[in-house]
């Protein structure tokens, strides 16, 4: 019990010394040990990383789930370590409404059939969106949260401990400075032979100086050790940046896959809608003619930029597909072959193209010297 009281008193004295040192520094009445420039730069870099990680994390959460109420609900489920209830996203809700309405109007009617096809595509897009959100949460959001809730909290803890060690160091410096000043005054008084009892005071202050020097040496060692620990942790921010870069690549890849899937779903849907009965198409054309000019949307492969297509080129492709023979064609865009049966293309080169019976209407057979393979029509311009 006696030991605990002494320990408590010692701890209270240490806390008091830190408080006094901190207060005097704030009022400019005490000197403060400054950290070296390298460590200060590392601390600034860590704070900057924390700030922007928080901001990117928050904005990504808003992107993946724009509804704030749903975000709050998911947050509470996560804290309670429970699985959030599965709900349909906006695309899936729209798709289900279209399917239900198409069923009501009748799958055998042009409008009902179109609604059902559009609804099925919307649900496919909703599924792709769900996969994108899940992938982004695992490969992008989770590592960012782990940094903020793990590594950076450790850095803050060690930084706070470094601040405490610095206060102890500066308090020890102040104590030694005061002890030396008192010892010097005692020596002056003793040298004047004013009072012989000051010899005891000189001895006492000499002991205080020795003790203060020992305390300073110990606090300096503890401060240096803590500064080194903090520095090593802060230098790990470079590894954090490298890890976050990999996570960013995963996020971009997930976005690319998601948008490519959505585009392909819509291209397929456009083809299906284009195969509707001629009576339905002519009805649409009549309404368009009465309401304004029609708009034609070309079907392009995923990686092709949008380009205008002339009527002559379309008729040329149709002629080439219906009759045997070959024509020269200029390549409009670079194309990377997706398989061994395809031919890679370079923009502005001229190749020979021909039609093969049974081949998809969106493709032709291309030849460049001894190389031969399928090429997409939308990348070509037939030459006269």
């Amino acid at each position: 019990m006696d030991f605990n009281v002494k320990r408590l008193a010692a701890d209270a004295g240490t806390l008091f010394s830190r408080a006094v040192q901190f207060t005097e520094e704030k009022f400019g009445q005490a000197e403060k040990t400054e950290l070296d420039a390298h460590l200060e730069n590392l601390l600034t870099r860590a704070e900057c990383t924390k700030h922007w990680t928080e901001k990117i994390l928050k904005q990504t959460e808003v992107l993946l789930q724009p509804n704030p109420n749903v975000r709050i609900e998911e947050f509470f489920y996560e804290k309670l370590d429970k699985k959030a209830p599965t709900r349909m996203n906006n695309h899936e809700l729209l798709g289900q409404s279209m399917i239900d309405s198409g069923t009501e109007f009748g799958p055998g009617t042009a409008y009902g059939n179109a609604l059902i096809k559009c609804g099925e595509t919307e649900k496919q897009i909703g599924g792709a969106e769900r996969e994108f959100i899940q992938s982004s949460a695992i490969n992008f959001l989770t590592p960012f949260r782990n940094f903020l809730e793990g590594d950076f909290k450790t850095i803050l803890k060690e930084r706070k401990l470094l601040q405490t060690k610095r206060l102890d160091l500066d308090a020890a410096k102040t104590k030694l400075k005061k002890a030396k000043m008192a010892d010097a005054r005692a020596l002056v008084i003793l040298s004047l032979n004013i009072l012989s009892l000051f010899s005891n005071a000189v001895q006492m202050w000499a002991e205080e100086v020795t003790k203060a020097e020992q305390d300073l040496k110990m606090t300096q060692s503890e401060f240096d050790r803590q500064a080194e620990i903090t520095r090593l942790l802060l230098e790990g921010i470079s590894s954090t940046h490298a890890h976050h870069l990999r996570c960013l690549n995963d996020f971009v890849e997930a976005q690319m896959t998601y948008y490519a899937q959505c585009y392909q779903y819509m291209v397929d849907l456009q083809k299906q809608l284009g195969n509707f009965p001629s009576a339905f198409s002519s009805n649409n054309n009549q309404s368009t003619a009465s309401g304004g000019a029609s708009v034609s949307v070309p079907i392009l492969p995923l990686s092709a930029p949008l380009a205008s297509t002339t009527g002559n080129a379309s008729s040329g492709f149709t002629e080439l597909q219906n009759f045997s023979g070959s024509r020269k064609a200029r390549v409009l865009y670079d194309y990377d072959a997706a398989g061994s049966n395809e031919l890679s293309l370079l923009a502005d080169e001229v190749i020979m193209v021909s039609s093969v019976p049974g081949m998809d209407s969106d493709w032709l057979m291309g030849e460049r010297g001894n190389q031969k393979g399928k090429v997409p029509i939308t990348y070509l311009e037939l030459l006269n």
Side-chain angles (χ1 to χ4, degrees), residues 234-384:
L234 291 171
E235 288 178 346
I237 292 292
S238 296
S239 298
T240 298
H241 285 186
H243 180 50
H244 286 183
L245 175 58
R246 291 192 293 272
C247 296
L248 185 62
N249 286 332
D250 291 339
F251 179 63
V252 170
E253 185 175 349
Q255 274 188 311
M256 181 190 69
T257 301
Y258 167 58
Y259 292 129
Q261 285 178 323
C262 293
Y263 181 81
Q264 190 59 55
Y265 291 148
M266 298 310 295
V267 166
D268 294 340
L269 175 62
Q270 187 186 45
K271 288 182 180 179
Q272 294 179 56
L273 295 181
N275 293 329
F276 270 51
S278 57
F280 177 65
S281 300
S282 61
N283 183 44
N284 280 349
N285 291 336
Q286 290 171 5
S287 62
T288 302
S290 62
S294 63
V295 179
S296 175
V297 182
I299 300 174
L300 298 177
L302 289 178
S303 58
L306 294 176
S308 59
T309 307
T310 63
N312 292 335
S314 298
S315 61
F317 283 125
T318 303
E319 179 184 349
L320 185 61
Q321 290 170 338
N322 292 335
F323 302 97
S324 60
S326 60
R327 291 274 298 274
K328 286 185 178 181
R330 184 174 66 87
V331 178
L332 299 175
Y333 323 107
D334 291 344
Y335 176 74
D336 293 327
S340 58
N341 62 335
E342 295 180 14
L343 183 67
S344 295
L345 304 173
L346 295 175
D348 295 325
E349 70 171 324
V350 177
I351 62 173
M352 297 297 295
V353 293
S354 59
S355 177
V356 176
M359 182 179 290
D360 190 333
S361 60
D362 291 333
W363 297 80
L364 290 172
M365 184 60 66
E367 293 184 51
R368 183 201 301 112
N370 296 327
Q371 295 178 320
K372 194 172 183 179
K374 289 169 43 178
V375 292
I377 284 180
T378 47
Y379 283 72
L380 303 174
E381 179 186 33
L382 287 179
L383 301 177
N384 294 328

Side-chain angles (χ1 to χ4, degrees), residues 1-9:
M1 181 65 181
D2 184 49
F3 170 79
N4 291 337
V5 171
K6 290 181 179 179
R7 179 64 180 271
L8 183 62

Side-chain angles (χ1 to χ4, degrees), residues 90-103:
N90 292 332
H91 284 288
E92 290 171 329
L93 289 171
L94 173 61
Q96 190 59 52
S97 297
M98 287 181 168
I99 291 174
D100 292 342
S101 60
T103 303

Side-chain angles (χ1 to χ4, degrees), residues 27-94:
F27 286 100
Q29 298 174 352
E31 295 181 1
K32 176 181 176 181
T33 299
E34 299 294 341
L35 302 177
D36 65 81
H38 177 60
L39 189 56
E40 287 285 3
N41 290 335
L42 291 175
L43 286 169
T44 302
R45 188 184 184 205
E47 284 291 343
C48 182
T49 302
K50 178 247 185 185
H51 168 74
W52 287 111
T53 300
E54 285 179 334
K55 195 158 188 175
I56 293 172
L57 177 64
K58 181 179 179 181
Q59 291 303 126
T60 305
E61 289 174 339
V62 172
L63 171 69
L64 299 179
Q65 180 48 263
N67 190 327
N69 294 327
V70 176
R71 289 202 305 272
I72 293 173
E73 182 182 347
E74 291 176 347
F75 172 78
F76 279 115
Y77 274 106
E78 182 181 350
K79 291 301 179 183
L80 295 173
D81 198 20
K82 292 184 178 181
K83 186 177 180 181
T86 302
R87 58 169 60 86
M88 298 178 72
N89 56 37
N90 292 332
H91 284 288
E92 290 171 329
L93 289 171
L94 173 61

Side-chain angles (χ1 to χ4, degrees), residues 141-333:
L141 296 182
T142 298
F144 274 48
R145 285 199 193 98
N146 290 342
F147 166 71
L148 294 172
E149 297 174 3
D151 295 348
F152 194 76
K153 282 189 175 180
T154 302
I155 290 174
L156 285 180
K157 179 182 176 182
E158 297 300 331
R159 181 181 179 180
K160 184 177 180 181
L161 188 56
L162 177 63
Q163 172 72 356
T164 300
K165 297 299 182 183
R166 187 197 62 75
L167 289 172
D168 290 343
L169 174 62
D170 288 336
K173 288 180 179 179
T174 302
K175 183 179 178 181
L176 177 60
K177 184 178 179 181
K178 290 179 179 178
K180 285 183 176 180
M181 290 175 62
D183 184 47
R185 284 196 299 268
L187 285 173
V188 170
I189 293 174
L190 183 62
S191 66
L192 296 176
N193 294 319
I194 298 176
L195 290 173
S196 60
L197 60 86
F198 272 95
S199 60
N200 293 331
V202 170
Q203 183 178 358
M204 180 190 71
W205 284 114
E207 291 175 355
E208 284 294 323
V209 169
T210 302
K211 184 174 180 302
E213 288 175 342
Q214 292 174 349
D215 289 344
L216 176 60
K217 184 177 180 181
M218 181 183 67
T219 53
Q220 182 71 59
S221 175
E222 291 179 351
F223 172 77
D224 293 340
R225 178 175 175 276
Q226 186 58 38
E228 181 64 16
I229 292 174
T230 307
R231 182 186 64 80
L232 291 174
L233 283 173
L234 291 171
E235 288 178 346
I237 292 292
S238 296
S239 298
T240 298
H241 285 186
H243 180 50
H244 286 183
L245 175 58
R246 291 192 293 272
C247 296
L248 185 62
N249 286 332
D250 291 339
F251 179 63
V252 170
E253 185 175 349
Q255 274 188 311
M256 181 190 69
T257 301
Y258 167 58
Y259 292 129
Q261 285 178 323
C262 293
Y263 181 81
Q264 190 59 55
Y265 291 148
M266 298 310 295
V267 166
D268 294 340
L269 175 62
Q270 187 186 45
K271 288 182 180 179
Q272 294 179 56
L273 295 181
N275 293 329
F276 270 51
S278 57
F280 177 65
S281 300
S282 61
N283 183 44
N284 280 349
N285 291 336
Q286 290 171 5
S287 62
T288 302
S290 62
S294 63
V295 179
S296 175
V297 182
I299 300 174
L300 298 177
L302 289 178
S303 58
L306 294 176
S308 59
T309 307
T310 63
N312 292 335
S314 298
S315 61
F317 283 125
T318 303
E319 179 184 349
L320 185 61
Q321 290 170 338
N322 292 335
F323 302 97
S324 60
S326 60
R327 291 274 298 274
K328 286 185 178 181
R330 184 174 66 87
V331 178
L332 299 175
Y333 323 107

